[in-house]
Amino acid sequence: MAGIQQQQRVNDTVLPASWNGSSNRIDAINVEGHPQPWVDDLQLEDPDHQKPGWRKFLSYVGPGFLVSLAYLDPGNLETDLQAGANHRYELLWVILIGLIFALIIQSLAANLGVSTGKHLSELCKEEYPKYVKYCLWLLAEIAVIAADIPEVIGTAFALNILFHIPVWVGVLCTGCSTLLLLGLQKYGVRKLELLIAVLVFVMAACFFGEMSYVKPPATDVLKGMFIPKLSGQGSTGNAIALLGALVMPHNLFLHSALVLSRKIPNSVRGINDACRYFLIESGFALLVAFLINLAVISVSGTVCSAQNLSSENADQCGDLTLNSASFLLQNVLGKSSSKIYAIALLASGQSSTITGTYAGQFIMQGFLELKMRKWIRNLLTRCIAIAPSLVVSIVGGSSGASRLIIIASMILSFELPFALIPLLKFSSSTTKMGPHKNSIYIIVISWILGLGIISINIYYLSTGFVGWLLHNNLPKVGNVFIGIMVFPLMAIYILSVAYLAFRKDSVVTFLGPNKNDPHQQTNMEKGLTKSTENPELDRVPYREDLADIPLPE
C-alpha cells in the first residue's frame, strides 16, 4: 500500500502515484497480502480468445440466486400465507411491485461492486466519519441478526414438523448444519452457489406441486397481479408487511460483494457487459422468487376460501403462522402436503441462513477490516444470529418464536434506510462510479421508490407504536415514561436518515483516464489498454478474498 500513499498531481487533481490512467476502477485490496490473480490481457485484445456469449453469461451466474433467497425466506413465506388467507389474491400486485423495485436496487448494488472494485460496506468505511462508520456497521450487524431469526426459526419449525423434535433443538441443528454447508466454500464459492440454486428449485417444485392440487382460478390470480386493490380489514397492514419483508438491507451489502468474485475485463465495454449479465441473472432469479411467492399466496388463498372449510380450519386461517400452516394443509390437502410444506420450509430456512452468514462476513470485513481466521468469523456470525432464536424458543416455545419473527421484520424495516440511502447516493455519484453512474431516469425512479418504501416503513412503525401506546393496559405513568424514552429516539432516527440523504460525498474513489491522451481513452473503452511502465495495471484484479473463504484443513 506504499504506492497508494505517494501522491502525484495530474491535471490539478491529486492521484495515486501507482495509477497510470489505464484503469477506471479503484484498486481492489487483497486482505491476505498475497499476489492477486489477473485476467489474461490476451482475452481483452484478441477477439478469437473471447468466449461465446452464453458461456460468458454462465460465468457470471450465481450471485443473483444467492441474493434471491432473501425474497424466499421464512419471514416472507409467513407474510405470504397471512396475505393469502386474509385477502386471497388481492395483494399479488404488492409482490409484483416489490420485486420490480428489488430488481432495480439489486442491480444498483451489483453495478456498484463491478464498477468500483469494492463492495458497499468498504465504500461506506471510506466515505463516512469514524463514528458514523461504526454506527452503520452496528446497524448492519443487527440487520443480519434480524434477518437470520426468521430463517433459523423457519428451519426449526420444518424439523419439528418432519421429525417432531422441540423447536429449540431444531435451532441448534440449524446452526450446526449451516456451518457444515459453509464448508463447501473450501472448494470455491461456485459449489455453494450451486447448492443454493438446487435448494431454490426444490422449494419452487414443492409449492408448485401444492398449487397443482388446489388449482387457484387463473382469472382471479391475474386480476390480483395487475389491478391494485386494498379492501377488507387489515389489507393495508398486510400490504405494508409484504412490502417491508421483501427488501432486506443486508442483501445490498451481500450482492455488491458477491459480484467481486467474478473476473471482469478492465474496460468500459467489459464492465458494461458484466453489469448487463448480472442484471439478466438477477432478473431471472427474482422471477423465480416472484413465482414462488405467487404460488404460496395462491395456495393459501384457495385453501382458506374453500366452501367446505371446517370451522376449526377457518379459525386457523384467521391467524396463520409457519408452524400452524402445516396443520391446516394436512387437514385440507392430506398428509403428503404437510410433508411437502415442511420440505419447502426447510429448503427456504436453510439456504437463507447460509446467505445471512455470508452477508455478515462481508460486513465485518468491509467496515472493520477484521483480520481473523475466516472460519472463526463464520462461527461468530452464526452464534450471534442464533442466540436470540434459541433463548426465545426455549422460554416461549413455538408461539414465542412466531412472535419473534414479527419483531425481526419490524427491525429490518427500521434498518433499511441505513443501507439503501448510501447505495442510492454512491451509485448515482460521478466521484464513485465515473461514466458508469446511474442515468437520470434511474436516479429519479430509484429515489422515488426508495423514499416511498422508507416513508411507508417509518409511517407503519410510528403509527403501530402510537396505536400500541394508546390501547395497551399499562398504567398512564408507564405510558408516559415509555413515550419520553421512545419519541426522542424516533427523532434521532429521522435526523440520522436525513443526514445520510443530504450529506455531500467527499471521498473520490473513481479515477478516469488521462483527458490529455485521447488514444489512451479510446483503448480503454475497447479494453485494449497497454502500459509500458507497469503492465500489471492493464489486467483487472478480482477479489480472491471474496471468491474463496475456506474453513480450516
Side-chain angles (χ1 to χ4, degrees):
M1 301 298 290
I4 296 178
Q5 297 173 354
Q6 300 173 358
Q7 301 289 324
Q8 66 179 1
R9 189 167 297 276
V10 178
N11 297 332
D12 298 327
T13 302
V14 177
L15 301 177
S18 63
W19 186 71
N20 67 347
S22 64
S23 174
N24 72 318
R25 302 172 80 210
I26 59 178
D27 293 333
I29 299 173
N30 187 334
V31 298
E32 299 295 338
H34 301 307
Q36 297 178 338
W38 305 88
V39 180
D40 186 1
D41 57 349
L42 287 176
Q43 294 183 1
L44 302 178
E45 296 182 48
D46 188 354
D48 294 333
H49 288 265
Q50 295 286 346
K51 296 179 181 178
W54 66 271
R55 290 189 63 189
K56 287 177 64 178
F57 170 69
L58 289 179
S59 66
Y60 292 98
V61 170
F65 279 97
L66 275 156
V67 168
S68 70
L69 292 171
Y71 307 97
L72 298 171
D73 75 327
N76 277 291
L77 297 184
E78 178 160 321
T79 56
D80 288 347
L81 289 168
Q82 293 174 352
N86 296 332
H87 307 286
R88 295 190 72 199
Y89 323 110
E90 287 184 5
L91 299 181
L92 285 174
W93 63 273
V94 178
I95 297 293
L96 181 61
I97 292 176
L99 286 177
I100 290 174
F101 174 65
L103 177 60
I104 293 174
I105 62 170
Q106 294 300 159
S107 65
L108 295 184
N111 294 352
L112 183 70
V114 169
S115 302
T116 64
K118 290 191 176 184
H119 51 83
L120 181 58
S121 58
E122 290 176 326
L123 291 172
C124 288
K125 173 183 176 294
E126 292 187 356
E127 175 62 41
Y128 294 111
K130 185 175 181 180
Y131 68 93
V132 177
K133 174 189 73 174
Y134 286 125
C135 289
L136 290 177
W137 165 73
L138 182 61
L139 290 169
E141 291 288 1
I142 294 173
V144 171
I145 296 172
D148 272 358
I149 287 172
E151 296 157 5
V152 170
I153 292 175
T155 302
F157 281 159
L159 295 175
N160 174 262
I161 295 169
L162 288 172
F163 306 111
H164 306 289
I165 62 176
V167 175
W168 68 271
V169 176
V171 170
L172 291 176
C173 293
T174 299
C176 296
S177 61
T178 300
L179 288 173
L180 290 175
L181 289 174
L182 282 169
L184 282 174
Q185 292 176 108
K186 181 179 180 180
Y187 305 100
V189 72
R190 300 289 289 188
K191 305 297 188 303
L192 183 61
E193 291 170 347
L194 178 62
L195 173 66
I196 297 300
V198 170
L199 291 174
V200 168
F201 282 106
V202 165
M203 184 164 44
C206 289
F207 278 108
F208 278 104
E210 290 186 3
M211 194 163 68
S212 67
Y213 278 100
V214 298
K215 295 181 175 61
T219 304
D220 292 342
V221 171
L222 291 175
K223 287 181 179 179
M225 287 173 55
F226 298 108
I227 301 178
K229 186 178 180 182
L230 290 174
S231 62
Q233 184 178 4
S235 60
T236 303
N238 281 125
I240 293 174
L242 281 173
L243 202 57
L246 284 173
V247 184
M248 300 282 190
H250 72 287
N251 236 20
L252 307 181
F253 295 103
L254 177 63
H255 204 176
S256 64
L258 288 174
V259 297
L260 298 176
S261 65
R262 301 299 190 262
K263 297 181 180 180
I264 299 167
N266 185 22
S267 65
V268 173
R269 183 177 61 195
I271 292 174
N272 287 339
D273 286 345
C275 292
R276 183 173 67 254
Y277 290 143
F278 284 127
L279 174 63
I280 294 172
E281 187 232 1
S282 298
F284 179 72
L286 290 177
L287 175 62
V288 174
F290 169 74
L291 293 176
I292 295 176
N293 280 277
L294 184 147
V296 174
I297 293 178
S298 299
V299 168
S300 176
T302 306
V303 171
C304 287
S305 62
Q307 295 183 355
N308 59 349
L309 194 66
S310 67
S311 58
E312 181 182 356
N313 289 336
D315 292 337
Q316 291 284 340
C317 284
D319 187 24
L320 267 185
T321 63
L322 290 176
N323 211 24
S324 64
S326 63
F327 173 81
L328 174 63
L329 294 175
Q330 181 178 3
N331 280 274
V332 176
L333 303 177
K335 294 182 179 180
S336 61
S337 290
S338 177
K339 299 300 181 183
I340 290 175
Y341 167 80
I343 292 172
L345 184 59
L346 182 64
S348 169
Q350 193 58 45
S351 56
S352 300
T353 303
I354 295 173
T355 59
T357 300
Y358 231 156
Q361 295 172 28
F362 296 141
I363 288 169
M364 293 175 70
Q365 177 263 330
F367 277 107
L368 305 180
E369 293 185 357
L370 205 57
K371 296 180 181 180
M372 63 171 61
R373 295 287 296 273
K374 295 189 175 93
W375 70 271
I376 298 178
R377 188 167 64 193
N378 280 342
L379 184 62
L380 177 62
T381 303
R382 179 60 26 223
C383 290
I384 294 174
I386 285 179
S389 303
L390 182 61
V391 171
V392 172
S393 60
I394 292 175
V395 175
S398 298
S399 60
S402 297
R403 287 193 294 272
L404 187 60
I405 292 178
I406 299 174
I407 296 173
S409 299
M410 295 178 65
I411 293 174
L412 288 172
S413 297
F414 173 86
E415 297 271 2
L416 180 61
F418 301 101
L420 181 58
I421 291 177
L423 172 64
L424 294 179
K425 292 193 68 177
F426 294 164
S427 62
S428 304
S429 171
T430 304
T431 61
K432 296 292 190 298
M433 301 280 286
H436 306 288
K437 73 170 187 175
N438 299 333
S439 67
I440 186 63
Y441 302 105
I442 296 298
I443 291 174
V444 172
I445 293 172
S446 60
W447 273 100
I448 289 175
L449 291 174
L451 292 177
I453 295 288
I454 292 171
S455 300
I456 289 172
N457 285 335
I458 292 176
Y459 171 80
Y460 184 60
L461 291 173
S462 59
T463 54
F465 171 73
V466 172
W468 174 83
L469 205 61
L470 294 175
H471 299 98
N472 64 46
N473 297 321
L474 293 176
K476 290 185 178 180
V477 176
N479 286 332
V480 171
F481 179 76
I482 293 174
I484 292 174
M485 293 286 292
V486 172
F487 284 116
L489 294 177
M490 293 176 64
I492 294 174
Y493 174 80
I494 295 173
L495 290 175
S496 301
V497 172
Y499 168 81
L500 291 177
F502 294 105
R503 179 187 183 273
K504 185 177 180 180
D505 292 348
S506 58
V507 176
V508 178
T509 56
F510 174 79
L511 302 175
N514 191 340
K515 295 182 179 180
N516 294 330
D517 189 351
H519 178 69
Q520 185 187 84
Q521 286 186 311
T522 303
N523 283 347
M524 178 187 162
E525 292 175 359
K526 296 180 179 179
L528 302 178
T529 56
K530 198 70 179 175
S531 169
T532 56
E533 297 179 3
N534 192 352
E536 281 192 341
L537 293 176
D538 294 326
R539 305 183 180 94
V540 177
Y542 82 103
R543 298 293 297 276
E544 189 181 21
D545 58 306
L546 305 182
D548 184 23
I549 306 178
L551 291 169
E553 298 288 347

